[in-house]
């Protein structure tokens, strides 16, 4: 467990485990490095695993600190360069998958491969009339989450997000109290993302033209919005880039850790 001081004075928390080719794990929204605990040791059997709390997440600065996806990309580049571990494999889920893909576009020389699960690229649905029902539903849910966050009701916003956006009704109630507290604490962080016009976007032509190997996985038990994103991405990406796992949901590193590690390891080994 260590902290790296960024050029702007932010302390970026990171942890390193294992030995082998470098692999950087990029977590999603509302979370921190603790999300990787079930796969950390398994991945460390094959890789030098670098986990870090993204800006304003976990131990990386206060949760109401100014942040943006653009800053995430700068932070990740600084982390890799300062540790001297590049080029690296990048593995992320949800918002972390989106950041990993955008990072590979900007810094292809620092990346050997990207494997992302269900990138939260909601913006790619804007031009897809076929998915209007899904897009409009999730836009309305996120608008309500934002309203709750703007009013300071962070726990209620977190519950709404978990039960109506990322997962299914009842999931929030099933979470341990400490996990609910962790989610709610990241409310101000997610509000910053909702205020960032670039937070949920991918430039499809750049992703399609990317020469760095990439694989995107999607789960058969995830919310419809993630399947819709996969359907929009599929026609513009090379064949075989997208893989579907019927039993997975939005967090396979938690629900199916052994299988998830196998998929990640086989991709980066290939």
């Amino acid at each position: 467990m260590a902290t790296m001081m960024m050029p702007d004075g932010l302390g970026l928390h990171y942890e390193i485990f294992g030995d082998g080719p470098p692999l950087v794990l990029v977590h999603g929204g509302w979370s921190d490095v603790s999300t990787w605990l079930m796969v950390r040791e398994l991945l460390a059997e094959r890789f030098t695993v670098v986990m870090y709390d993204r800006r304003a997440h976990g131990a990386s600065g206060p949760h109401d600190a100014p942040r943006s996806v653009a800053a995430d990309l700068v932070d990740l580049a600084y982390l890799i360069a300062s540790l001297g571990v590049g080029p690296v494999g990048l593995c992320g889920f949800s918002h972390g998958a989106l950041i990993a893909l955008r990072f590979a576009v900007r810094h292809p020389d620092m990346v050997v491969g990207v494997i992302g699960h269900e990138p939260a690229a909601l913006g790619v649905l804007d031009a897809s009339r076929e998915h209007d029902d899904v897009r409009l539903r999730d836009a309305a849910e996120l608008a309500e989450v934002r309203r709750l966050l703007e009013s300071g009701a962070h726990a209620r916003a977190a519950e709404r997000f978990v039960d109506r956006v990322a997962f299914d009704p009842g999931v929030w109630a099933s979470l341990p109290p400490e996990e609910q507290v962790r989610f709610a604490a990241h409310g101000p962080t997610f509000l910053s993302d909702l205020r960032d016009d670039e937070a949920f976007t991918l430039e499809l032509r750049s992703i399609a033209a990317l020469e760095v190997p990439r694989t995107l996985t999607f789960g058969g038990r995830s919310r419809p919005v993630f399947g819709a994103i996969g359907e929009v991405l599929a026609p513009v990406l090379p064949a075989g880039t997208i893989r579907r796992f019927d039993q997975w949901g939005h967090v396979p590193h938690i629900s199916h850790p052994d299988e998830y590690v196998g998929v990640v390891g086989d991709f980066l080994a290939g």
Side-chain angles (χ1 to χ4, degrees):
M1 186 179 301
T3 299
M4 177 177 294
M5 297 306 298
M6 308 303 289
D8 65 355
L10 177 88
L12 199 73
H13 167 81
Y14 69 94
E15 302 176 24
I16 301 179
F17 300 87
D19 185 31
L23 171 64
V24 178
L25 305 181
V26 190
H27 66 76
W30 299 89
S31 63
D32 54 32
V33 293
S34 65
T35 193
W36 301 112
L37 291 181
M38 295 186 70
V39 297
R40 180 185 69 187
E41 301 300 334
L42 294 171
L43 288 170
E45 293 176 3
R46 301 179 64 175
F47 302 98
T48 297
V49 177
V50 180
M51 317 188 312
Y52 73 107
D53 287 334
R54 294 193 290 117
R55 177 177 292 257
H57 293 78
S60 292
H63 295 162
D64 59 353
R67 58 158 283 102
S68 65
V69 167
D72 277 321
L73 301 181
V74 172
D75 290 345
L76 184 51
Y78 191 85
L79 177 70
I80 293 170
S82 297
L83 293 177
V85 295
V88 303
L90 287 179
C91 173
F93 74 98
S94 195
H95 215 158
L98 184 150
I99 291 167
L101 288 167
R102 291 182 62 171
F103 184 86
V105 169
R106 179 173 294 188
H107 301 286
D109 57 317
M110 300 181 77
V111 181
V112 296
V114 176
I115 181 163
H117 183 68
E118 297 184 342
L122 304 176
V124 304
L125 301 180
D126 291 346
S128 175
R129 304 296 299 181
E130 178 183 356
H131 300 292
D132 263 357
D133 55 338
V134 173
R135 178 181 63 82
L136 292 172
R137 181 205 171 279
D138 276 68
E141 290 295 343
L142 285 172
E144 177 60 14
V145 170
R146 179 169 181 169
R147 185 191 70 79
L148 290 168
L149 290 173
E150 296 276 13
S151 72
H154 298 159
R156 288 173 57 202
E159 179 178 4
R160 184 92 181 193
F161 180 84
V162 168
D163 280 355
R164 303 293 294 273
V165 180
F167 305 102
D168 294 313
V171 170
W172 176 261
S174 73
L175 296 177
E178 61 271 18
E179 189 65 18
Q180 292 182 352
V181 170
R182 182 181 293 110
F183 254 101
H186 285 95
T189 310
F190 193 70
L191 180 58
S192 293
D193 287 334
L194 291 173
R195 290 170 172 169
D196 180 1
D197 291 339
E198 296 187 353
F200 301 96
T201 63
L202 279 179
E203 210 292 306
L204 293 183
R205 284 179 295 182
S206 298
I207 300 300
L210 187 61
E211 295 185 358
V212 172
R214 67 275 196 207
T215 282
L216 302 181
T217 58
F218 291 84
R221 297 188 173 184
S222 293
R223 299 289 298 179
V225 66
F226 298 112
I229 291 170
E231 290 178 18
V232 172
L233 293 175
V236 302
L237 294 175
T241 299
I242 290 182
R243 299 183 63 188
R244 177 185 170 91
F245 295 85
D246 290 342
Q247 300 305 310
W248 288 11
H250 192 49
V251 286
H253 55 287
I254 295 174
S255 63
H256 295 76
D258 292 318
E259 186 178 13
Y260 179 78
V261 167
V263 172
V264 171
D266 290 347
F267 166 72
L268 291 173

